[in-house]
Amino acid sequence: MKKLLFLCIGLLLMACSDDDAEITQTEVNLSINHFKTTSLLYGTALIGQEEGTLETFTIPRISGFDFQPGYTYSLIANRITTKNAGTNATTDSYDLIAVQTQDTIPPNTEFRVPLAKFVNGVGYVTWIRGNAELGYVLNNEIPIHCSQFCTELMSRVVIEENITGVFEHGPNGTYILKELD
């Protein structure tokens, strides 16, 4: 019985091998927003838009790109699309070719980031970690200064409410919480 189980697992792994992947590469122009947002798949992610499209999407990372919060970017990147014939899944990754522009955003520019929400099929997801003594961090990456909102934020997380934070950029890549939605 064990041999049959190992044989089935081996066949399944071979059916989903990388050899079946179709890889295409395309040079694209990307606009990257001035802040990272939360992502169910990646934790935190860049917000990007390809030239000629209206749709924005999250990008976990762009190889070779040193993102600095507080700037918008125009990039030329190589989009690598991998389509696995065995699973019919498609994934995109990006490699930086060149930074065309890096523009500073105006001071006190506000932006919204989901902090916790109910996701159908997954349950309640929160990207906030920490406590009052050590401070709060967005997905173990971005320090949050929540001042008068810390108590409200943590009480809403405990009762599993959908929470979106309204932020401004702070020093050294921090987010300053201005309001809770």
Side-chain angles (χ1 to χ4, degrees):
M1 186 67 172
K2 285 185 180 180
K3 289 181 183 179
L4 181 60
L5 176 63
F6 286 123
L7 178 63
C8 289
I9 291 172
L11 289 172
L12 180 61
L13 289 174
M14 287 189 299
C16 296
S17 72
D18 286 339
D19 296 340
D20 294 340
E22 175 186 326
I23 300 173
T24 57
Q25 296 187 32
T26 309
E27 190 174 294
V28 295
N29 293 322
L30 288 175
S31 296
I32 302 297
N33 214 331
H34 62 93
F35 66 97
K36 286 186 174 183
T37 191
T38 52
S39 167
L40 199 57
L41 296 175
Y42 313 119
T44 57
L46 301 167
I47 303 168
Q49 183 177 25
E50 284 190 22
E51 185 178 308
T53 66
L54 297 176
E55 180 181 334
T56 59
F57 55 95
T58 57
I59 305 169
R61 63 182 293 277
I62 299 170
S63 182
F65 176 53
D66 182 26
F67 173 79
Q68 298 296 315
Y71 299 93
T72 58
Y73 296 88
S74 293
L75 309 176
I76 299 173
N78 190 28
R79 181 183 63 220
I80 301 133
T81 302
T82 306
K83 182 175 182 180
N84 188 313
T87 62
N88 208 23
T90 300
T91 58
D92 289 326
S93 61
Y94 293 87
D95 290 334
L96 179 67
I97 295 172
V99 176
Q100 291 182 305
T101 63
Q102 177 182 351
D103 298 319
T104 305
I105 61 159
N108 304 324
T109 298
E110 292 186 345
F111 54 96
R112 288 177 154 58
V113 176
L115 302 175
K117 67 180 178 178
F118 182 80
V119 179
N120 195 16
V122 175
Y124 186 71
V125 178
T126 179
W127 290 278
I128 300 293
R129 305 284 181 265
N131 57 50
E133 293 83 38
L134 299 175
Y136 297 97
V137 179
L138 186 61
N139 202 52
N140 297 322
E141 182 182 347
I142 303 166
I144 296 174
H145 296 285
C146 54
S147 58
Q148 75 266 23
F149 298 104
C150 293
T151 304
E152 180 185 353
L153 174 62
M154 295 321 293
S155 67
R156 289 178 62 182
V157 165
V158 170
I159 60 173
E160 299 187 351
E161 272 192 47
N162 288 339
I163 309 166
T164 298
V166 178
F167 294 94
E168 290 179 358
H169 291 286
N172 302 318
T174 61
Y175 286 3
I176 299 171
L177 184 61
K178 305 303 275 181
E179 182 182 330
L180 288 171
D181 286 344

